């Protein structure tokens, strides 16, 4: 990547600032990549495949579609045709149906690979499997790291135990992780030796309507004193939707079977590295105020929802430290945090004013100011 002197000085200053603020040394590498490499077409796959994507118009689906087309594959999508109409590029076959019993559009067809994006209910896997089990060579099920029964063990890999529901017939979405675990089992049962199960962590980047990551780039760009949760060294893991999509297509191209944790980045990562990495693509003056987990709890500031991405490590030491070595060996790659942050802001800026005024995660500005004021008073009292 070629850089001019100005961009070099900008990235060097950001990296130096990270070290001076007490971040791990790897922060310098993350911040030094605030100017992403120019996009290069990925080239063509050989041989091209016929890919069916169940869903395809939500968050990760459009990224899968675009990358698959760039690689020369033939893509069909199956959905109700209601989510993000018009988002699919030319050349994609749209099959209309419903996972709740309306699967006729899939009958009598053959594909090399099926990618199942939206499934939570095991019934949906069983129904799709009844139609597709003799019509596809590989079934890729997009699961979640929420299937794990425990988050107590740091660096746990795919062999860790998954949730077992007391009532395996339930369809209550409150049991999301357990339902996904059951859906994994159905996938393996119906497609023995032909199943690929991908367990993403928190999926982030352009197109994320949950705002579980979007809160941070938008808040940091606004500037001023920013409430930062816990300590700068608390672990964090996220996966850019584009990285997840490209990994999924690579698994289809290579016919790779098995189960894979898919979160990132490759090396242990902290909430401090993430926030300072996001700051590297903004110009507004900011100051992070790190507030301990116990004080946030006393103020009823909730991890994950009020403070997105972050979970206190004392509460779940394994949650943000999942082992991803197997996926990396199979071809999972990671964009720089600066790329994810910049693309998220660019996407967010295209949203309506009403949508931007109603972030679905994070603290409202007035609530953030209240907590920061309380922390300032508490810190002065302790001095």
């Amino acid at each position: 990547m070629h850089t001019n002197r100005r961009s070099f000085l900008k990235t060097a200053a950001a990296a130096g600032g990270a070290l001076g603020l007490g971040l791990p040394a790897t922060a310098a590498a993350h911040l030094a990549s605030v100017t992403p490499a120019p996009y290069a077409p990925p080239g063509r796959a050989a041989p091209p495949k016929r890919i069916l994507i169940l869903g395809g118009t939500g968050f990760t689906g459009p990224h899968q579609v675009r990358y698959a087309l760039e690689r020369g594959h033939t893509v069909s999508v199956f959905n109700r045709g209601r989510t993000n109409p018009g988002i699919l590029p030319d050349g994609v076959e749209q099959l209309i149906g419903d996972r709740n019993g309306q699967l006729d559009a899939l009958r009598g067809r053959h594909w090399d690979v099926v990618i199942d994006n939206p499934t939570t209910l095991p019934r949906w896997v069983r129904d799709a499997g009844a139609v597709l089990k003799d019509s596809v060579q590989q079934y890729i099920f997009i699961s979640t790291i929420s299937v794990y029964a425990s988050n107590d063990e740091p660096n746990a890999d795919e062999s860790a135990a998954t949730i077992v529901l007391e009532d395996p017939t339930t369809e209550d979405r409150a049991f999301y992780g357990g339902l996904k675990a059951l859906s994994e089992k159905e996938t393996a049962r119906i497609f023995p030796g032909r199943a690929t199960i991908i367990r993403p962590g928190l999926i982030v980047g352009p197109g994320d309507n949950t705002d579980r990551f979007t809160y941070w780039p938008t808040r940091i760009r606004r500037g001023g004193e920013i409430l930062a949760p816990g300590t700068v060294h608390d672990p964090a893991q996220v996966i850019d939707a584009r990285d997840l999509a490209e990994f999924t297509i690579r698994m289809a191209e290579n016919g790779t079977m098995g189960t894979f944790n898919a979160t990132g980045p490759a090396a242990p990562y902290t909430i401090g590295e993430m926030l300072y990495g996001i700051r590297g693509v903004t110009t507004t003056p900011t100051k992070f105020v790190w507030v301990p987990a116990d004080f946030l709890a006393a103020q009823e500031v909730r991890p994950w929802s009020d403070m997105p991405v972050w979970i206190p490590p004392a509460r779940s030491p394994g949650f943000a430290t999942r082992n991803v070595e197997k996926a990396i060996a199979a071809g999972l790659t990671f964009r720089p945090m600066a790329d994810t942050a910049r693309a998220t802001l660019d996407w967010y800026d295209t949203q309506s004013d009403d949508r931007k005024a109603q972030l679905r995660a994070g603290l409202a500005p007035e609530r953030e100011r209240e907590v920061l004021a309380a922390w300032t008073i508490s810190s002065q009292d302790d001095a």
Side-chain angles (χ1 to χ4, degrees):
M1 175 179 65
H2 298 287
T3 58
N4 58 31
R5 184 173 184 272
R6 178 179 297 176
S7 63
F8 170 79
L9 292 174
K10 179 181 177 183
T11 56
L19 294 173
L21 288 161
L23 286 173
T26 50
H30 289 289
L31 293 182
S33 56
V34 293
T35 304
Y39 173 77
R44 311 289 278 185
K49 296 201 173 187
R50 297 165 299 168
I51 298 175
L52 168 65
I53 299 177
L54 304 180
T57 56
F59 181 16
T60 58
H63 298 301
Q64 293 170 348
V65 169
R66 284 190 288 271
Y67 188 70
L69 291 176
E70 289 172 343
R71 294 285 290 161
H73 303 297
T74 300
V75 179
S76 304
V77 300
F78 174 85
N79 53 55
R80 295 176 298 174
R82 300 175 187 172
T83 301
N84 296 324
I87 197 171
L88 295 174
D90 293 339
V92 177
E93 179 186 29
Q94 173 105 39
L95 303 174
I96 301 298
D98 194 310
R99 300 295 291 273
N100 292 305
Q102 298 177 19
L103 302 173
D104 288 347
L106 302 179
R107 300 185 189 280
R109 300 287 303 274
H110 291 80
W111 290 274
D112 297 306
V113 182
V114 174
I115 300 171
D116 189 344
N117 282 324
T119 290
T120 299
L121 302 179
R123 168 171 56 85
W124 288 358
V125 176
R126 289 194 294 271
D127 291 349
V131 176
L132 297 169
K133 63 180 180 180
D134 296 323
S135 303
V136 300
Q137 299 173 14
Q138 181 182 14
Y139 195 97
I140 301 177
F141 179 73
I142 306 300
S143 186
T144 170
I145 61 170
S146 295
V147 298
Y148 290 112
S150 170
N151 289 306
D152 293 339
E153 181 185 352
N155 200 40
D157 63 18
E158 293 83 355
S159 66
T162 57
I163 297 170
V164 177
L165 291 176
E166 291 185 9
D167 178 8
T169 67
T170 185
E171 293 192 353
D172 185 344
R173 305 301 178 90
F175 299 104
Y176 172 74
L179 290 170
K180 280 285 197 179
L182 280 175
S183 295
E184 289 186 1
K185 290 181 171 60
E186 288 296 301
T187 299
R189 179 184 67 80
I190 298 169
F191 299 93
R194 294 180 289 151
T196 304
I197 294 167
I198 298 176
R199 296 171 176 166
L202 179 62
I203 307 172
V204 305
D208 176 21
N209 278 313
T210 72
D211 297 331
R212 290 179 297 181
F213 172 82
T214 305
Y215 169 78
W216 289 115
T218 58
R219 175 63 192 92
I220 290 168
R221 184 171 63 176
R222 200 167 73 239
E225 284 198 341
I226 300 171
L227 195 162
T231 78
V232 71
H233 301 292
D234 290 350
Q237 284 184 314
V238 297
I239 180 73
D240 190 301
R242 298 166 296 171
D243 292 331
L244 176 62
E246 293 175 12
F247 176 63
T248 303
I249 299 303
R250 290 187 196 111
M251 302 297 267
E253 291 176 354
N254 297 329
T256 305
M257 312 299 174
T259 301
F260 301 85
N261 291 333
T263 188
Y269 193 59
T270 71
I271 191 70
E273 288 177 274
M274 189 189 84
L275 296 187
Y276 284 105
I278 294 169
R279 192 177 75 170
V281 301
T282 67
T283 58
T284 314
T286 60
K287 178 184 177 182
F288 292 115
V289 180
W290 295 91
V291 179
D294 56 354
F295 186 86
L296 293 177
Q299 292 289 315
E300 299 183 351
V301 174
R302 300 165 298 176
W304 197 251
S305 54
D306 292 333
M307 290 282 97
V309 180
W310 175 76
I311 294 286
R315 172 172 153 181
S316 296
F319 182 80
T321 61
R322 286 286 164 191
N323 186 301
V324 293
E325 293 175 1
K326 185 178 178 183
I328 292 170
L332 178 61
T333 58
F334 306 97
R335 285 166 168 77
M337 176 53 63
D339 186 314
T340 300
R342 182 72 266 161
T344 300
L345 287 170
D346 290 344
W347 167 80
Y348 171 82
D349 288 341
T350 68
Q351 306 304 295
S352 69
D353 290 341
D354 288 345
R355 167 68 180 88
K356 288 189 284 188
Q358 297 293 327
L359 284 178
R360 295 160 184 166
L363 288 177
E366 60 275 11
R367 177 62 178 142
E368 182 187 28
R369 288 192 293 269
E370 289 175 359
V371 177
L372 285 172
W375 172 244
T376 298
I377 293 171
S378 175
S379 299
Q380 291 171 346
D381 290 344
D382 292 340

